[in-house]
Amino acid sequence: MKILVTGGLGFIGSHTVVELQNQGFDVLIVDDLSNTSLSVLDGISNITGKIPAFEKLDLRDKTKVQAFFNRHHDITGVIHFAASKAVGESVGNPLLYYENNLSTLIYILQELEKKEEASFIFSSSCTVYGQAEKMPITEDAPVQTAMSPYGNTKQIGEEIILDTAKVTNINAILLRYFNPIGAHPSGEIGELPLGVPQNLVPFITQTGMGIRTELSVFGHDYPTPDGTCIRDYIHVVDLAKAHVIALQRLLNKKNLEKVEVFNLGTGTGSSVLEVIYSFEKGSGKKLPYKLVPRREGDVIEAFANTDKANNVLGWKAESTLDEAMASAWAWEQKVRK
């Protein structure tokens, strides 16, 4: 079966391609290389022994998307990662996020609705819950007013998929991630943002390497045990495996609804300072950081109730925070050699 993975050379996408190929799927990657590099293909092939098919494509170009699907009419499933994903950047440049994250989704769905049937996995986010009223967060928690344009694009994206699935032969699973971190244990692929990292862990590892002089901890007066934000940090390999399980669920017609929703996390919240301490413990390095004011768009805490993913999807996160941080540090050291 040919599976299209959009954004397949990105952080989560590349790890998912590895897991798909390990399960025998024929993978076709589309990526515009705006936040990654072609070298990731080598990492994937070094792990799996197979180079996935790749096309460079800007999915914002509707004509090119149509031509692409005309060439690849045998695509049976799509895992859609391609999107801009930094909360802070989205606040400063909302139109970029609305264009990147919504037009691309619409153009892909327009092609899939032409098929007799199609399976669609959507890379969503716990940001759709905003600042949830109860912890841990279940899939039934109300979708709150988005705290950033990025979060809003995920909410709108989910609504687009729900409305489309009602009137087409598309079946979909919305996977609401919490905070993916870490790297493949082989050291062949990992998180490698272009420019200044927008996420916590690569900023930590780059600071550990001396590339960044100091880490800024945004907010130290939150109503949490140590005053810093709390998140659910999940190893990217665990997350990647969930995508394969979700895809197989659709392909085997095990889904109970046209559109299903699952939270993907560990079920445990860790504060920013706890993540720093985990890095220091695993690396043996003291990390230079400073406490600075809160950042717009950040919620106080978010961690998952994983019962539905565990019991219905049949998936469970395996790795600990320390293991994920150790893999991220090993990857950073390898990249900088």
Side-chain angles (χ1 to χ4, degrees), residues 195-208:
V196 179
Q198 299 283 339
N199 295 334
L200 175 63
V201 171
F203 211 110
I204 286 176
T205 56
Q206 287 190 16
T207 304

Side-chain angles (χ1 to χ4, degrees), residues 112-132:
L112 292 183
E113 73 174 350
K114 299 173 185 176
K115 295 178 174 290
E116 287 186 15
E117 62 178 14
S119 299
F120 188 78
I121 307 295
F122 182 58
S123 167
S124 193
S125 168
C126 64
T127 58
V128 301
Y129 299 116
Q131 181 52 70

Side-chain angles (χ1 to χ4, degrees), residues 59-62 65 103-111:
L59 293 168
R60 294 174 298 181
D61 188 324
K62 184 175 183 175
V65 173
S103 65
T104 56
L105 171 64
I106 291 166
Y107 298 157
I108 291 168
L109 292 176
Q110 284 174 335
E111 298 308 305

